Amino acid sequence: MARGEETRARIMDVAQDAVLAKGFDATSIEEIVAAANITKGGFFYHFPDKNALAKALIERHVSVEDELFDDVFARARELSDDPLQSTLIAIKLLAELIADMPNGHPGCIVATAVYQDRLFNADVREANKVAVLGWRRRFRAAIDEIVAIYPPRDEVDLDDLADMVSGVIEGGLIVSKAVGEPDATARQIMLLRSYLKLLFTPQRS
Amino acid sequence: MARGEETRARIMDVAQDAVLAKGFDATSIEEIVAAANITKGGFFYHFPDKNALAKALIERHVSVEDELFDDVFARARELSDDPLQSTLIAIKLLAELIADMPNGHPGCIVATAVYQDRLFNADVREANKVAVLGWRRRFRAAIDEIVAIYPPRDEVDLDDLADMVSGVIEGGLIVSKAVGEPDATARQIMLLRSYLKLLFTPQRS
DNA sequence: TGTACATCAGTGAACGCGCGTTCACTGATGTAC
DNA sequence: TGTACATCAGTGAACGCGCGTTCACTGATGTAC
């Protein structure tokens, strides 16, 4: 990594921790640079203003999650050729990944941005929207493959069903953090898996 | 309403709108008192400090939601004696209530508090935890009634299932706000209803 | 290979503004006798 | 019924601190000839 890139990443790492714990406005540049061992001037060398940091955090978060989803679905595909089975496997792998995080998943930057959107300019809000729509497209594609073989056993809108993946994760994180049960998120994801199983598994008889 | 109570409620109303849109730290007392037509001194007559406002907002939000849930489940119970049917009706009523909100549901104070919990003292975090555990207890009671008659068709933990109600609503709000589709939350709630239907409806044959 | 210059990745001091909180005070309403 | 006093529901000015941002500067590394 180039000389400056390493510092930039360190700034974003400490900023992300703080933003997830206190929100964006309450996270001061002062404390970020202290934790990252640089000066304020150094911060403004990497980011023109505080809003640019928010945008960078969202975009990095999304690309990290995208890689994670790509990885999980690819591994699942290797384990089964059936689209329903491989999706169920992927969701289980995802739950296991989240369950294995030592102090629980740290939370989702997108969620914090949604509840602080009047702080940000249109750029940041757009990045947030694009992120969630990207997840919808991704999961919708997996669902389309399933539906082509297994007709759903209840009337559902497939985009809504795709959104449910993001929704259950986001909601699971909130419940998990509120009650202080780090693995609650993973268990919520397993319930979503149970739903997909019931919805698409053909009726025996 | 007593003379001071009306002012206190007005402070909380304007504060809640601002907190849901910008987060707690970014919501200044200055702007709250401007919107509520009082002076800063007036604010500190009603709340010893800003943390007390947060706690009051959470507690009021929870009691409002509790009343709403009580109402919805009571109305559903009148429409069916069967615990499964009445729960499915209650969830549908809930979705309709949220769908009918003009600009979408404004969001959940509990969610904002979870993602800003380092701002608050233990009091506020405890109020938040109590809120979510209260919802768990409430929905768990409804589920227990169902399970007594209809065995679940997949292996699920009933507390997790109870948490799923809060989770799907919280997650639905985030997705809804992120993509700018006010009725997305209601549609997510209907998917949860679909899950409960599939999970508990006895197999035909 | 050496030298001159440009760029990179910061430092460190200064700025003005808005924030949460305090406090002495006030005018309207309620209560005791 | 009138008066004295207490309480309620605020006002308004002041405070000190920390914030985001700017800017002139610097030392280390890279590049051209």
Side-chain angles (χ1 to χ4, degrees):
Chain A
M1 208 182 310
R3 205 157 144 282
E5 280 306 299
E6 199 270 336
T7 305
R8 191 185 149 95
R10 209 168 65 245
I11 292 172
M12 289 176 67
D13 288 343
V14 302
Q16 176 152 324
D17 286 350
V19 168
L20 289 174
K22 313 198 297 183
F24 188 72
D25 193 81
T27 299
S28 70
I29 294 172
E30 217 125 3
E31 68 171 300
I32 293 173
V33 301
N37 269 307
I38 51 165
T39 58
K40 275 194 186 188
F43 174 88
F44 284 97
Y45 174 76
H46 287 285
F47 300 97
D49 54 29
K50 215 186 165 189
N51 240 296
L53 171 65
K55 199 184 165 201
L57 284 177
I58 291 176
E59 285 171 348
R60 189 181 70 164
H61 175 81
V62 168
S63 78
V64 166
E65 295 283 295
D66 273 345
E67 254 181 82
L68 190 147
F69 287 139
D70 282 343
D71 179 53
V72 158
F73 274 86
R75 280 164 55 200
R77 183 64 72 175
E78 281 173 24
L79 295 171
S80 172
D81 278 338
D82 179 75
L84 176 56
Q85 287 312 312
S86 84
T87 296
L88 294 179
I89 291 169
I91 290 178
K92 180 153 196 184
L93 290 173
L94 184 63
E96 280 170 6
L97 263 169
I98 289 180
D100 284 349
M101 290 177 175
N103 304 314
H105 192 289
C108 177
I109 284 283
V110 170
T112 79
V114 158
Y115 273 113
Q116 279 145 252
D117 73 338
R118 286 278 152 251
L119 285 181
F120 305 120
N121 57 30
D123 252 25
V124 174
R125 286 198 294 274
E126 186 60 23
N128 222 23
K129 182 175 177 175
V130 165
V132 177
L133 290 178
W135 293 333
R136 173 186 294 177
R137 191 156 15 84
R138 167 191 293 276
F139 299 122
R140 173 63 194 261
I143 289 168
D144 280 339
E145 282 189 65
I146 297 175
V147 171
I149 303 180
Y150 304 102
R153 293 177 51 198
D154 195 8
E155 205 178 309
V156 291
D157 179 276
L158 300 184
D159 272 337
D160 289 342
L161 198 57
D163 281 347
M164 202 180 191
V165 182
S166 322
V168 165
I169 296 174
E170 296 290 359
L173 288 169
I174 288 173
V175 168
S176 163
K177 285 158 87 74
V179 299
E181 299 177 7
D183 50 348
T185 310
R187 297 199 308 264
Q188 290 297 310
I189 294 173
M190 289 306 284
L191 286 182
L192 172 65
R193 183 176 178 280
S194 161
Y195 177 35
L196 293 178
K197 201 170 66 181
L198 288 177
L199 183 60
F200 291 115
T201 301
Q203 190 124 283
R204 3 165 196 151
S205 80
Chain B
M1 206 184 307
R3 205 156 143 285
E5 279 306 300
E6 198 271 337
T7 305
R8 192 183 149 96
R10 209 168 64 244
I11 292 172
M12 291 177 67
D13 289 342
V14 302
Q16 175 151 324
D17 286 349
V19 168
L20 289 175
K22 314 200 293 184
F24 188 73
D25 193 82
T27 298
S28 70
I29 294 171
E30 216 125 3
E31 68 172 299
I32 293 172
V33 301
N37 268 308
I38 51 164
T39 58
K40 275 194 187 189
F43 174 90
F44 284 97
Y45 174 77
H46 287 284
F47 300 97
D49 54 30
K50 215 185 165 189
N51 239 298
L53 171 64
K55 198 183 164 204
L57 284 177
I58 291 176
E59 286 172 346
R60 191 182 67 164
H61 175 82
V62 168
S63 77
V64 166
E65 295 283 294
D66 274 345
E67 255 181 80
L68 191 147
F69 287 139
D70 282 343
D71 178 53
V72 158
F73 274 86
R75 278 164 57 200
R77 183 63 73 176
E78 282 174 23
L79 296 171
S80 172
D81 277 339
D82 179 74
L84 176 57
Q85 287 312 312
S86 85
T87 296
L88 294 180
I89 290 169
I91 291 178
K92 178 150 197 188
L93 290 173
L94 185 63
E96 281 170 4
L97 262 168
I98 290 180
D100 283 349
M101 289 176 176
N103 306 313
H105 192 288
C108 177
I109 284 283
V110 169
T112 79
V114 158
Y115 273 113
Q116 278 145 253
D117 73 338
R118 285 279 153 252
L119 286 180
F120 305 119
N121 57 30
D123 251 25
V124 173
R125 287 199 292 276
E126 186 60 24
N128 222 23
K129 182 174 176 176
V130 165
V132 177
L133 290 178
W135 293 333
R136 174 186 292 176
R137 190 156 18 83
R138 167 191 293 277
F139 299 122
R140 173 64 193 262
I143 290 167
D144 279 340
E145 282 189 66
I146 297 174
V147 171
I149 302 179
Y150 304 101
R153 293 176 50 197
D154 194 8
E155 207 178 307
V156 291
D157 179 275
L158 300 185
D159 272 338
D160 289 342
L161 198 57
D163 281 347
M164 202 181 191
V165 182
S166 321
V168 165
I169 295 174
E170 296 289 1
L173 287 170
I174 288 173
V175 168
S176 162
K177 284 157 88 74
V179 299
E181 299 176 6
D183 50 349
T185 310
R187 297 199 307 265
Q188 290 298 310
I189 294 173
M190 289 306 283
L191 286 181
L192 172 65
R193 183 175 179 280
S194 160
Y195 178 36
L196 294 177
K197 201 170 67 182
L198 288 176
L199 183 60
F200 291 115
T201 301
Q203 190 125 284
R204 0 164 198 154
S205 80

